[in-house]
């Protein structure tokens, strides 16, 4: 349990840093060029770490289902949808909805054992937990930097 | 309205990405799954960049090298996320991930790291983080 939470915390802090770095790249380049660079480096880093930890095993052929080859398209979907929502809504509002949606779908996928996950039975306690987190996200995002900047620009 | 739909779909894709990687890693191993999804994603994004004639990569040289390297974090992010999903399920993994992500944003804004303009954190931000942690505790135990 603790190891799992620790790993998720590491992932989250790196995502937070990556978001800042990527947006710095995005200040100079458009979103497709930025996405291409980000995924290219992700690919090279994964390949390198794979070699470090597993040696040539990383290149061993495994039987795969066809859709595995298209899994990278999910990442393209992420970028497209998040960028489009940020264009149409205030950034803080967009990100709050994205995060709430992430949690909502996580609960649904756990409950139904989506894609071979071990089903985690849905309980009232889980719903309460997720709702409290969503309220926390909205509170955290309320009155934050981006909106102030927008007000400054507006005034 | 369209913006809200895009945001909801964006959240769906982020969660799906973790679950799909987790599924693929059961068959071919976690580092292999990470390499495969990043590699095929790179090819798709590259094709789209060509289709939309986005030649702004020429501007990369104007960005600090440190910021250009952000993409490489994905290797550790996906590996940790997939392993966490195997260990504790999707809901708790995503919850803990979001807390760390927002705490990182909180620290960056408070201390003005990475050239971000400093921003005083107020009560709603503290209560918000507190509620998120409480939520994860409720989910986990």
């Amino acid at each position: 349990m603790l190891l799992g939470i620790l790993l998720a915390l590491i992932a989250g802090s790196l995502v937070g840093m990556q978001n800042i770095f990527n947006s710095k790249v995005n200040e100079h380049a458009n979103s497709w060029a930025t996405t291409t660079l980000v995924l290219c480096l992700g690919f090279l880093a994964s390949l390198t770490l794979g070699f470090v930890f597993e040696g040539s095993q990383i290149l061993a052929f495994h039987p795969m289902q066809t859709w595995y080859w298209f899994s990278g398209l999910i990442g393209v979907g992420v970028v497209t949808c998040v960028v489009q929502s940020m264009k149409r809504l205030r950034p803080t509002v967009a990100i709050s909805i994205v995060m709430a949606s992430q949690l909502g779908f996580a609960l649904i996928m756990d409950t139904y054992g989506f894609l071979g996950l071990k089903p985690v039975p849905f309980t009232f306690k889980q719903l309460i937990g997720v709702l409290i987190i969503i309220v926390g996200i909205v509170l955290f995002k309320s009155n934050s930097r981006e909106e102030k900047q927008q007000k400054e620009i507006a005034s | 309205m369209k913006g809200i739909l895009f945001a909801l779909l964006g959240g769906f894709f982020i969660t799906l990405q973790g679950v799909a990687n987790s599924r693929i890693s059961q068959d071919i191993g976690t580092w292999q799954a990470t390499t495969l999804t990043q590699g095929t994603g790179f090819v798709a994004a590259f094709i789209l960049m060509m289709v939309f004639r986005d030649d702004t990569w020429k501007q990369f040289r104007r960005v600090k090298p440190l910021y250009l390297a952000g993409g490489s974090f994905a290797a550790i992010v996906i590996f940790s996320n997939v392993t966490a999903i195997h260990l504790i399920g999707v809901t708790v993994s995503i919850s803990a991930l979001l807390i760390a992500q927002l705490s990182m944003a909180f620290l960056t804004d408070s201390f003005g790291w990475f050239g971000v303009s400093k921003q005083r954190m107020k009560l709603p931000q503290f209560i918000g983080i507190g509620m998120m942690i409480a939520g994860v505790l409720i989910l986990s135990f």
Side-chain angles (χ1 to χ4, degrees):
Chain A
M1 188 76 182
L2 276 178
L3 178 64
I5 289 187
L6 186 69
L7 284 168
L9 291 176
I10 291 172
S13 8
L14 287 174
V15 170
M17 256 162 82
Q18 204 189 15
N19 284 344
I20 297 164
F21 289 13
N22 291 353
S23 70
K24 298 261 180 193
V25 179
N26 208 193
E27 281 169 16
H28 297 280
N30 287 340
S31 67
W32 288 119
T34 308
T35 310
T36 305
L37 173 79
V38 167
L39 289 168
C40 178
L41 286 175
F43 167 66
L44 293 175
S46 310
L47 195 62
T48 310
L49 288 174
F51 260 118
V52 169
F53 291 111
E54 309 202 345
S56 54
Q57 265 296 309
I58 184 80
L59 296 176
F61 185 80
H62 299 269
M64 295 205 288
Q65 293 181 35
T66 316
W67 71 266
Y68 293 0
W69 290 105
F70 298 96
S71 55
L73 291 177
I74 302 172
V76 176
V78 171
V79 176
T80 312
C81 292
V82 173
V83 168
Q84 289 299 321
S85 68
M86 300 254 273
K87 259 187 205 163
R88 291 175 162 81
L89 307 167
R90 281 193 311 239
T92 47
V93 176
I95 294 300
S96 303
I97 299 175
V98 169
M99 289 183 160
S101 161
Q102 261 176 276
L103 273 171
F105 281 110
L107 197 55
I108 293 170
M109 290 183 193
D110 257 344
T111 307
Y112 291 101
F114 198 69
L115 287 180
L117 285 171
K118 200 172 69 194
V120 180
F122 179 84
T123 59
F124 191 63
K125 192 186 81 170
Q126 277 181 310
L127 184 66
I128 296 287
V130 166
L131 288 178
I132 289 179
I133 295 173
I134 291 175
V135 175
I137 293 171
V138 173
L139 259 179
F140 182 87
K141 284 289 180 184
S142 66
N143 188 32
S144 68
R145 192 158 41 88
E146 288 114 314
E147 275 169 291
K148 257 190 216 144
Q149 276 176 345
Q150 286 203 332
K151 268 183 218 148
E152 277 162 25
I153 292 163
S155 58
Chain B
M1 194 57 215
K2 235 179 167 179
I4 296 177
L5 276 178
F6 272 120
L8 288 172
L9 207 56
F12 167 73
F13 277 131
I14 295 175
T15 301
L16 178 66
Q17 198 169 36
V19 175
N21 283 329
S22 173
R23 176 71 192 87
I24 296 171
S25 72
Q26 284 175 1
D27 279 0
I28 68 173
T30 306
W31 288 113
Q32 287 83 347
T34 311
T35 308
L36 180 75
T37 44
Q38 295 286 296
T40 52
F42 163 60
V43 171
F46 185 79
I47 292 170
L48 285 164
M49 183 175 84
M50 291 294 148
V51 169
F52 292 112
R53 298 175 190 281
D54 179 354
D55 60 358
T56 51
W57 50 268
K58 290 173 186 154
Q59 306 298 321
F60 285 164
R61 62 193 161 77
R62 292 169 57 193
V63 185
K64 258 195 186 174
L66 171 70
Y67 299 147
L68 287 175
S72 59
F73 296 171
I76 299 165
V77 169
I78 297 176
F79 181 87
S80 309
N81 193 21
V82 164
T83 313
I85 289 176
H86 284 311
L87 292 171
I88 56 177
V90 193
T91 311
V92 184
S93 298
I94 301 264
S95 309
L97 189 143
L98 289 181
I99 289 180
Q101 190 184 329
L102 286 180
S103 303
M104 194 67 203
F106 181 89
L107 291 173
T108 311
D109 283 348
S110 315
F111 295 106
W113 289 343
F114 313 121
V116 172
S117 58
K118 251 191 203 180
Q119 158 83 14
R120 281 242 345 240
M121 289 296 142
K122 300 203 193 82
L123 195 60
Q125 276 74 43
F126 286 103
I127 300 176
I129 292 248
M131 284 186 74
M132 290 173 72
I133 294 171
V136 168
L137 291 177
I138 292 175
L139 283 176
S140 316
F141 300 103

